[in-house]
């Protein structure tokens, strides 16, 4: 994708973020569907702020992406984060919804797919979140495959996540990433993590134990001009991980309920996330907050290592 002045005119980049980018200093993009549809108020706003603070503590500038009042925004103020988190009925925008949200002068939380797209337009290479979308269970019937995977297959951004939740079919998700030529790098583990737990029981393609080594691989992936993103899978810290039997049972119940109710398309993931929160009595939320912060720290360290490597070449 060529990012010309016409596209830049549609994006408002916060001055601090713009300065950092102009000076090739580390910036980490953050998504906002996690705020609007991924967590309840007020923990969503508290987490969004805490995550920005973690990015700063680890040496990078945070750039939360959202659509506010018909403008694509890269970097939000505290007040704007709060308004986004407390407003009910904000739209969930994946990449394909961006133009319609702008045309209606609306506001929207951006998913991983939309945030990757905007990050690439703004020149941001690293993006941290909790979990990415993937291939849903039963996709052989429903065809429900998240646009996040398609985006990873065509947009050069490294997405740091804690793997994917087993609300998804993790094995099929890894198959689609392989098909799309998206490398999966696990940090400090041989296994691909399953969000609430450190292992999905499936291996990641590559393991890196040091941030510098991870940054080398990510930097080379982009230098090769392969045109695809990178999925960095960072397992939840051991102290915050949930018991697999406990969470898997609850996930199975939530998935069955969604199926029974005929929930489809973009409603599926928000429905499941909400039910997990309710059925675990908030335990899932605590784990979720811990792993997002952990990913924000790794994202910032990765962005810093990439910026340093860039300044030495
Ligand atoms: N998975 C999570 N938490 C989230 C999401 C997914 O554990 O908040 C959000 C992200 O914004 C992701 C989106 O990009 O849901 C995927 O939605 P869908 O499955 O409809 O593509
Ligand atoms: Mn879907």
């Amino acid at each position: 994708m060529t990012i010309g002045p016409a596209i830049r005119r549609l994006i408002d980049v916060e001055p601090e973020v713009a300065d950092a980018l102009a000076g090739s200093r580390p910036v980490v993009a953050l998504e906002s569907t996690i705020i609007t549809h991924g967590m309840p108020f007020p923990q969503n706003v508290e987490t969004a702020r805490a995550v920005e603070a973690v990015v700063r503590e680890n040496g990078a500038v945070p750039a939360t992406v959202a659509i506010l009042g018909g403008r694509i925004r890269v970097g939000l103020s505290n007040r704007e984060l709060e308004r986004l988190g407390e407003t009910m009925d904000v739209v969930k925008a994946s990449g394909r919804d961006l133009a319609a949200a702008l045309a209606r002068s609306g506001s929207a939380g951006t998913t991983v797919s939309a945030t990757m797209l905007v990050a690439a337009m703004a020149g941001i290479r690293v993006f941290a979140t909790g979990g990415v979308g993937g291939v849903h269970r039963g996709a052989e019937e429903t065809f429900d495959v998240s646009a996040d995977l398609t985006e990873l297959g065509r947009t050069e951004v490294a997405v740091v996540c804690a793997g994917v939740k087993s609300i998804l079919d993790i094995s099929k998700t890894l198959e689609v990433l392989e098909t799309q030529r998206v490398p999966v790098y696990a940090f400090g583990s041989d296994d691909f993590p399953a969000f609430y737990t450190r292992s999905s029981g499936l291996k990641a393609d590559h393991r890196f134990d040091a941030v510098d080594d991870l940054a080398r691989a990510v930097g080379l992936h982009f230098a090769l001009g392969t045109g695809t993103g990178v999925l960095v899978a960072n397992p939840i810290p051991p102290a915050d991980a949930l018991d697999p039997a406990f969470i898997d049972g609850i996930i199975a119940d939530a998935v069955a309920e969604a199926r029974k109710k005929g929930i489809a398309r973009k409603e599926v993931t928000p429905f499941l996330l909400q039910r997990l929160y309710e059925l675990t009595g908030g335990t899932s939320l605590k784990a979720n907050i811990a792993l997002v912060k952990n990913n924000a720290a790794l994202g910032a360290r990765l962005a810093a290592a990439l910026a340093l490597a860039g300044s030495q070449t």
Side-chain angles (χ1 to χ4, degrees):
M1 187 170 46
T2 326
I3 315 296
I7 291 182
R8 289 195 200 280
R9 269 200 294 280
L10 296 171
I11 305 181
D12 294 334
V13 181
E14 196 185 44
E16 186 193 6
V17 175
D19 279 356
L21 290 170
S24 301
R25 291 191 301 276
V27 175
V28 175
L30 301 164
E31 61 148 316
S32 48
T33 293
I34 190 171
I35 305 173
T36 57
H37 293 75
M39 289 184 187
F41 179 81
Q43 290 95 334
N44 58 351
V45 174
E46 287 159 18
T47 305
R49 284 190 180 154
V51 165
E52 290 207 344
V54 169
V55 169
R56 288 186 195 283
E57 282 156 25
N58 286 275
V61 175
T64 300
V65 172
I67 301 183
L68 291 186
R71 298 287 302 173
I72 296 179
R73 301 286 307 273
V74 177
L76 304 183
S77 70
N78 267 336
R79 183 74 201 105
E80 288 168 332
L81 272 184
E82 192 173 306
R83 273 218 304 280
L84 194 65
E86 70 191 7
T87 313
M88 304 302 279
D89 299 330
V90 176
V91 175
K92 166 185 168 188
S94 87
R96 70 173 190 159
D97 304 308
L98 288 173
L102 297 185
R104 282 196 325 257
S105 298
S107 295
T110 50
T111 65
V112 169
S113 113
T115 305
M116 283 184 78
L117 202 49
V118 171
M121 289 172 184
I124 303 172
R125 282 291 171 92
V126 178
F127 163 21
T129 187
V132 295
V135 181
H136 278 266
R137 297 194 196 177
E140 60 275 25
E141 288 288 327
T142 62
F143 276 45
D144 189 350
V145 178
S146 175
D148 295 354
L149 297 186
T150 328
E151 204 62 57
L152 279 159
R154 62 173 60 146
T155 300
E156 292 179 288
V157 172
V159 181
V160 181
C161 69
V164 301
K165 287 196 172 84
S166 56
I167 59 172
L168 301 171
D169 185 321
I170 301 181
S171 167
K172 288 193 181 73
T173 299
L174 291 175
E175 292 289 357
V176 170
L177 288 164
E178 180 171 317
T179 304
Q180 305 239 46
R181 211 159 38 68
V182 178
V184 177
Y185 299 160
F187 188 68
S189 173
D190 289 324
D191 292 357
F192 185 72
F195 199 87
Y196 297 119
T197 56
R198 289 179 57 84
S199 172
S200 61
L202 299 164
K203 298 273 173 244
D205 303 310
H206 304 278
R207 170 184 181 145
F208 293 97
D209 288 286
V211 175
D212 284 350
D213 296 337
L214 175 67
R216 240 175 95 72
V218 169
L220 284 166
H221 180 78
F222 292 148
L224 286 168
T226 59
T228 65
V230 177
L231 194 66
V232 177
N234 186 30
I236 185 170
D240 300 299
L242 300 185
D243 170 33
F246 164 73
I247 193 67
D248 285 349
I250 284 175
I251 285 174
D253 291 348
V255 169
E257 194 182 326
R259 202 165 291 168
K260 208 167 117 219
K261 290 197 160 129
I263 311 281
R265 296 169 56 188
K266 72 195 284 187
E267 313 300 335
V268 175
T269 298
F271 175 87
L272 292 172
L273 298 181
Q274 171 69 20
R275 287 304 284 147
L276 288 191
Y277 170 65
E278 291 161 3
L279 294 169
T280 60
T283 313
S284 65
L285 182 59
K286 194 166 160 280
N288 200 342
I289 293 169
L291 66 83
V292 179
K293 288 187 191 167
N294 190 46
N295 296 343
L298 180 59
R301 293 168 65 206
L302 172 61
L306 283 170
L308 187 65
S311 71
Q312 288 167 347
T313 52

